[in-house]
Amino acid sequence: MVRDADELEDLRRLYAAKAQAEQQAADALVPGIRVLASGEATARVLLVKGDPGEADLAAGEALAGPDGDAALAALAALGVGTASVLALVTRPAPGTSADAAVERLARYLESADPAVAVALDGVAAGDLAAAAGLAGLPFGSSVLAHGRVLLAVDGLEASLADEARKKRVWAQFRGLTK
């Protein structure tokens, strides 16, 4: 039993250190990583992107561009807290195999233990579904799996330059509230 605030903070630090170590081990599954995960190791929300974009590659971290801002804005608009977010690219190195991507993502899911995981494109949706042991993840329909809410949207980054697609992706994000 936790007795005081200091003891609680010690437990939080220990849990975060354990999650970081597990995530580093997961990263070792993919040699030559060019885009690292970003955010909190024990986040409440996991944002998952399939292939890195130019901004991700330039910054060396996931969701470093306007799509990261758009994802956070969409979550905030839906009332989903964004104070605790971890962003991950499932294919962070050229030639990342699907098996390695899925295994790495599964390890991130277990170590971070988010309440919500959102796949931001088709590649991420396939990887997230496989990591959660599902046959697929339909765009815009939230699914409860292993105590987590999973959602996939169809191409957040691509939607930023296409108004019709942006509306479709926003409608899909609203699947978190249904």
Side-chain angles (χ1 to χ4, degrees), residues 159 162-174:
S159 79
D162 178 339
E163 282 302 315
R165 191 170 189 175
K166 187 184 294 184
K167 288 177 184 177
R168 187 173 71 238
V169 167
W170 169 241
Q172 292 168 349
F173 259 109
R174 290 194 310 253

Side-chain angles (χ1 to χ4, degrees), residues 58-98:
E61 66 179 35
L63 293 172
D67 56 336
D69 295 337
L72 293 176
L75 293 173
L78 293 169
V80 176
T82 58
S84 177
V85 174
L86 176 62
L88 179 73
V89 172
T90 64
R91 310 294 173 105
T96 302
S97 74

